[in-house]
């Protein structure tokens, strides 16, 4: 018998809500955001933030556009108290930003909390006590009435202390901590009792914050709980329903999103999900989820690198390279088929149409990332990646059959050196393998005459040190040159495929040509770069002929 025994656990009880409405709704606008980075997240750090780090984090949160920011637990920590005083005394709080502070429902702590906030223009005082069955029965060993009594007393104390500081616009917030593990009827009973003390109105609402303190059910269960709560709580029009999810099961964002469908107006969380245990709801992820659905997240997340820098400096925590939306590697495709699809979609994407790019849910440029990071080439990249980097960095549009051939060369090289191949190496591999227009035959010059649709060519070549002029006729310079070669060598040569294009930038050449020949039943490819398309075409044919000779001699 191992210790790993599922019978130790019970499933979360479902909520009786057969006519639940939330699954049929859609999120249409951003919720009110409240950052708790400077409290919960800060509490959960091995090294709490120092004053300079708290100030840096505060500046970032304001800059991102948060309008409600929980700045600490001033009654429990002198540094938090001092930080709140600094914010107020140094006039650091913009007019449209409200600070929030956390306090347990205890008289001495509440009194001290109001002292910390003296002089604030507007402030949210957030009082909480735990209501879940396990907390009541095992931690506090108190019955329902006694636990409700703590909440009511806390609510009364907030009212009493607030009355001492009438110059401040006070907003009261109550959290039934561990709400999602509380019986729903009891959670409503406790919150109703608090609401009854505060008597909020639509003009002066209070905030009721519903935490999934420990996430212990699927997000749909939390959504049912929130909808049930919203339907049963008193004075629904006078309360702002807020949610505060944690990420124990990895679903904090999903739970908050579904809670918004279920009626929540406000969402608490932290940047990149820092917080107790597995962390709080990640506001960057949820906001970017909204953004990618065409909804204004009402936060400016356009510079995630700045967020990551401040976050790591203040928390000493790393950001995973695959973190949703902003991780270092999330816009990098390694798989060849993904790269191919991205390249094709990007080519067709018009600036004024909705974003439709395979494998890229948003335009990385919106986050200050560029396409440089999209494609890297390794042994799994395939032709898409190879084609992408040659086009991007050297202006070369290889035909499909040459992409396939070059990809195999790149793959062998990547396996040989066991790693990623950069674009300069790919270009060199392309030159080495396909641009073989010098040995054993080299083009020195040519004369081309056209009569009707027929071209006559006289091509001066040097073959193994001997100069010759090859003559031939055909429709177009390539056919004429192939005809000249066939007369000269006695070989049966057919052009299987051919393409050319002008080169905008990336190399010194102005034209590129690619040709595939069938010589004696086998296919050979060649390419050339030159100052004009005719020279490039003739040299591409020569490259294929030279490669054929080299391969035939190697096989002989
Ligand atoms: O997770 C939680 O329940 C909390 C409360 C204090 C709101 O952080
Ligand atoms: Zn929390």
């Amino acid at each position: 018998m191992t210790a790993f025994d599922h019978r130790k656990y019970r499933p979360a009880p479902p909520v009786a809500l057969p006519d639940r409405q939330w699954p049929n709704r859609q999120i249409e606008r951003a919720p009110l955001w409240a950052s708790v980075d400077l409290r919960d997240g800060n509490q959960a750090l091995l090294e709490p933030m120092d004053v300079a780090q708290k100030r840096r984090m505060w500046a970032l949160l304001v800059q991102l556009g948060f309008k409600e920011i929980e700045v600490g637990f001033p009654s429990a920590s002198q540094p938090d108290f001092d930080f709140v005083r600094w914010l107020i005394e140094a006039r650091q709080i913009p007019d449209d930003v409200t600070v929030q502070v956390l306090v347990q429902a205890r008289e001495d702590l509440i009194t001290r909390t109001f002292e910390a906030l003296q002089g604030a223009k507007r402030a949210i005082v957030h009082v909480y006590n735990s209501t879940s069955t396990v907390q009541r029965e095992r931690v506090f060993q108190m019955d329902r009435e006694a636990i409700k009594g703590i909440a009511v007393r806390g609510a009364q104390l907030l009212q009493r202390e607030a009355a001492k500081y009438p110059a401040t616009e006070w907003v009261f917030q109550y959290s039934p901590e561990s709400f999602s593990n509380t019986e729903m009827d009891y959670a409503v009973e406790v919150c109703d009792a608090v609401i009854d003390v505060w008597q909020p109105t639509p003009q002066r609402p209070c905030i009721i914050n519903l935490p999934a303190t420990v996430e212990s059910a699927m997000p749909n269960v939390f959504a049912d709980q929130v909808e049930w709560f919203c339907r049963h709580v008193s004075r629904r029009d006078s309360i702002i329903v807020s949610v505060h999810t944690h990420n124990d099961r990895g679903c904090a964002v999903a739970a908050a999103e579904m809670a918004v469908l279920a009626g929540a107006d406000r969402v608490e969380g932290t940047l990149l999900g820092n917080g107790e245990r597995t962390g709080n709801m990640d506001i960057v992820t949820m906001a970017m989820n909204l953004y990618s659905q065409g909804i204004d997240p009402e936060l400016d997340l356009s510079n995630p690198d700045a967020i990551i820098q401040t976050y790591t400096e203040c928390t000493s925590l790393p950001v995973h390279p695959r973190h949703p939306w902003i991780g270092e590697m999330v816009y990098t495709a390694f798989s060849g088929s993904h790269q191919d699809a991205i390249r094709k979609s990007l080519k067709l994407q018009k600036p004024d149409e909705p974003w439709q790019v395979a494998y890229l849910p948003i335009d990385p440029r919106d986050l200050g990332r560029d396409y440089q990071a999209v494609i890297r080439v390794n042994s799994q990249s395939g032709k898409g990646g190879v084609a992408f980097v040659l086009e991007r960095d050297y202006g070369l549009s290889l035909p499909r059959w040459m992409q396939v051939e070059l990809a195999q060369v790149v793959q062998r090289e990547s396996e040989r050196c066991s790693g990623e191949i950069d674009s300069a190496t790919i270009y060199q591999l392309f030159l080495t393998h396909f641009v073989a227009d010098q040995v054993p035959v080299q083009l020195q010059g040519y004369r081309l005459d056209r009569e009707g649709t027929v071209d006559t060519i006289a091509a001066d070549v040097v073959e193994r040190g001997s100069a010759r002029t090859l003559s031939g006729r055909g429709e177009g310079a390539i056919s004429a040159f192939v005809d000249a070669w066939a007369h000269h060598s006695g070989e049966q040569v057919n052009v299987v495929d051919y393409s050319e294009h002008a080169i905008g930038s990336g190399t010194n050449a102005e034209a590129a040509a690619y040709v595939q020949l069938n010589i004696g039943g086998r296919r050979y490819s060649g390419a050339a770069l030159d100052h004009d398309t005719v020279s490039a075409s003739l040299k591409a044919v020569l490259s294929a002929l030279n490669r054929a000779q080299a391969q035939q001699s190697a096989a002989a």
Side-chain angles (χ1 to χ4, degrees):
M1 188 67 178
T2 71
F4 191 71
D5 182 2
H6 63 275
R7 290 168 301 182
K8 209 161 149 183
Y9 305 103
R10 287 173 296 182
V15 180
L17 195 63
D19 59 341
R20 58 179 63 77
Q21 299 299 309
W22 66 264
N24 300 322
R25 298 198 188 122
Q26 285 198 316
I27 300 184
E28 280 158 7
R29 72 179 81 86
L32 302 168
W33 301 112
S35 149
V36 295
D37 291 81
L38 288 164
R39 181 261 303 182
D40 232 349
N42 194 21
Q43 283 171 5
L45 294 174
L46 280 175
E47 292 260 0
M49 291 183 218
D50 61 23
V51 173
Q53 287 168 323
K54 283 197 95 164
R55 289 181 185 183
R56 215 173 310 146
M57 180 60 87
W58 163 262
L60 174 69
L61 295 168
V62 170
Q63 192 193 325
L64 296 180
F66 283 95
K67 301 300 173 211
E68 294 183 357
I69 303 175
E70 195 166 278
V71 289
F73 203 137
S75 61
S77 135
Q78 190 60 41
D80 277 13
F81 190 97
D82 295 342
F83 182 65
V84 176
R85 291 311 312 150
W86 173 77
L87 288 172
I88 296 167
E89 285 163 16
R91 300 186 177 281
Q92 294 295 315
I93 309 168
D95 280 347
D96 61 349
V97 174
T98 304
V99 288
Q100 171 172 322
V101 294
L102 185 68
V103 64
Q104 282 169 349
R106 279 176 37 195
E107 184 164 12
D108 53 336
L109 301 182
I110 290 172
T111 308
R112 179 108 174 115
T113 299
F114 278 86
E115 284 166 15
L117 286 166
Q118 193 167 6
K121 196 166 147 257
R122 188 171 192 270
I124 301 169
V125 181
H126 176 188
V127 64
Y128 72 99
N129 70 313
S130 220
T131 53
S132 69
T133 335
V134 77
Q135 292 269 10
R136 290 193 320 261
E137 292 174 359
R138 307 233 160 164
V139 182
F140 295 102
Q141 304 189 351
M142 285 177 158
D143 65 12
R144 285 182 170 214
E145 277 307 306
I147 292 284
K148 183 169 73 177
I150 295 173
V152 169
R153 178 83 182 123
Q156 289 165 341
L157 287 167
L158 254 59
Q159 247 181 352
R160 187 191 79 189
E161 290 304 305
K164 295 183 187 164
Y165 306 93
T168 299
E169 184 188 334
W170 296 107
V171 179
F172 298 150
Q173 171 168 338
Y174 172 69
S175 291
E177 201 216 79
S178 56
F179 159 81
S180 58
N181 291 110
T182 302
E183 305 85 334
M184 284 303 105
D185 60 333
Y186 180 61
V188 168
E189 183 185 324
V190 174
C191 291
D192 276 352
V194 168
I195 291 164
D196 200 42
V197 174
W198 287 340
Q199 299 282 316
T201 63
Q203 293 71 38
R204 289 294 298 272
C206 69
I207 301 169
I208 299 293
N209 183 50
L210 306 177
T213 304
V214 177
E215 181 178 58
S216 40
M218 283 168 63
N220 62 304
V221 174
F222 186 64
D224 279 354
Q225 291 173 324
V226 173
E227 182 168 332
W228 199 96
F229 182 91
C230 289
R231 288 209 223 164
H232 290 84
V233 72
S234 63
R235 297 187 189 234
R236 175 65 187 92
D237 63 345
S238 303
I239 62 176
I240 293 168
V241 173
S242 174
V243 291
H244 174 114
T245 57
H246 277 268
N247 203 33
D248 298 82
R249 295 167 53 100
C251 300
V253 169
E257 288 175 333
M258 291 187 190
V260 169
L261 292 177
D265 310 297
R266 178 182 189 268
V267 171
E268 290 194 348
T270 57
L271 298 179
L272 311 181
N274 183 36
E276 294 286 346
R277 305 181 309 284
T278 51
N280 286 75
M281 206 292 300
D282 174 357
I283 293 187
V284 172
T285 297
M286 180 164 169
M288 284 305 303
N289 289 356
L290 296 177
Y291 179 76
S292 70
Q293 299 296 303
I295 297 169
D296 179 358
E298 295 177 26
L299 291 175
D300 180 359
L301 303 174
S302 60
N303 189 354
D305 292 347
I307 300 176
I308 292 170
Q309 187 175 342
T310 303
Y311 173 85
T312 48
E313 279 170 10
C314 293
T315 64
S316 303
L317 290 171
V319 175
H320 197 284
R322 298 205 186 276
H323 193 101
W325 302 112
I326 56 115
E328 200 45 57
M329 286 174 56
V330 298
Y331 304 108
T332 307
F334 281 87
S335 128
S337 63
H338 290 204
Q339 292 171 353
D340 202 36
I342 290 170
R343 192 174 57 87
K344 286 177 179 152
S345 318
L346 286 177
K347 215 165 185 170
L348 291 177
Q349 177 67 38
K350 297 191 185 68
D352 50 358
E353 65 173 359
W355 184 252
Q356 298 165 72
V357 175
Y359 300 110
L360 287 183
I362 60 157
D363 184 347
R365 287 174 301 185
D366 296 353
L367 297 179
R369 304 279 167 84
D370 60 30
Y371 301 126
Q372 296 298 322
V374 172
I375 302 290
R376 295 197 203 160
V377 177
N378 66 10
S379 63
Q380 271 125 56
S381 301
K383 62 184 169 49
V386 168
F388 183 90
V389 291
L390 284 183
E391 193 165 333
R392 182 191 66 191
D393 297 342
Y394 297 94
L396 298 177
S397 299
L398 268 57
R400 200 180 144 77
W401 43 269
M402 192 169 274
Q403 292 175 17
V404 173
E405 236 181 296
L406 180 59
Q408 288 162 1
V409 174
V410 171
Q411 180 161 354
R412 278 197 299 276
E413 179 62 13
S414 164
E415 282 162 4
R416 195 189 60 75
C417 65
S418 320
E420 225 172 79
I421 304 278
D422 63 14
S423 117
T425 309
I426 292 173
Y427 182 58
Q428 273 313 318
L429 289 169
F430 164 72
L431 294 181
T432 310
H433 284 265
F434 296 102
V435 184
D437 56 9
Q438 309 272 319
V439 180
V441 187
Q442 187 183 5
L443 185 70
Q444 299 289 81
Y446 64 89
R447 290 171 304 285
L448 202 58
D449 296 311
R450 170 160 288 192
E451 242 188 78
T453 56
V454 177
D455 290 286
T456 304
I457 196 165
D460 300 323
V461 299
V462 174
E463 185 177 16
R464 294 189 176 85
S466 309
R468 313 175 187 288
T469 299
L470 310 181
S471 304
R473 286 159 57 83
E475 277 194 24
I478 290 183
S479 302
F481 187 54
V482 165
D483 181 56
W485 180 263
H487 280 117
H488 164 67
S489 65
E491 285 175 323
Q492 170 75 34
V493 180
N494 296 103
V495 179
V496 180
D497 202 357
Y498 163 74
S499 68
E500 63 177 37
H501 62 82
I503 302 175
S505 62
T507 73
N508 294 328
E510 283 152 38
Y514 316 91
V515 69
Q516 194 174 44
L517 303 180
N518 184 315
I519 305 173
R522 282 200 60 196
R523 289 185 173 184
Y524 299 93
S525 311
L529 311 175
D530 214 305
H531 52 83
D532 67 70
T533 48
V534 177
S535 300
S537 306
L538 300 182
K539 288 184 175 180
V541 172
L542 263 186
S543 292
L545 293 170
N546 285 338
R547 291 184 74 228
Q549 291 204 26
Q551 286 173 32
Q552 284 158 6
S553 339

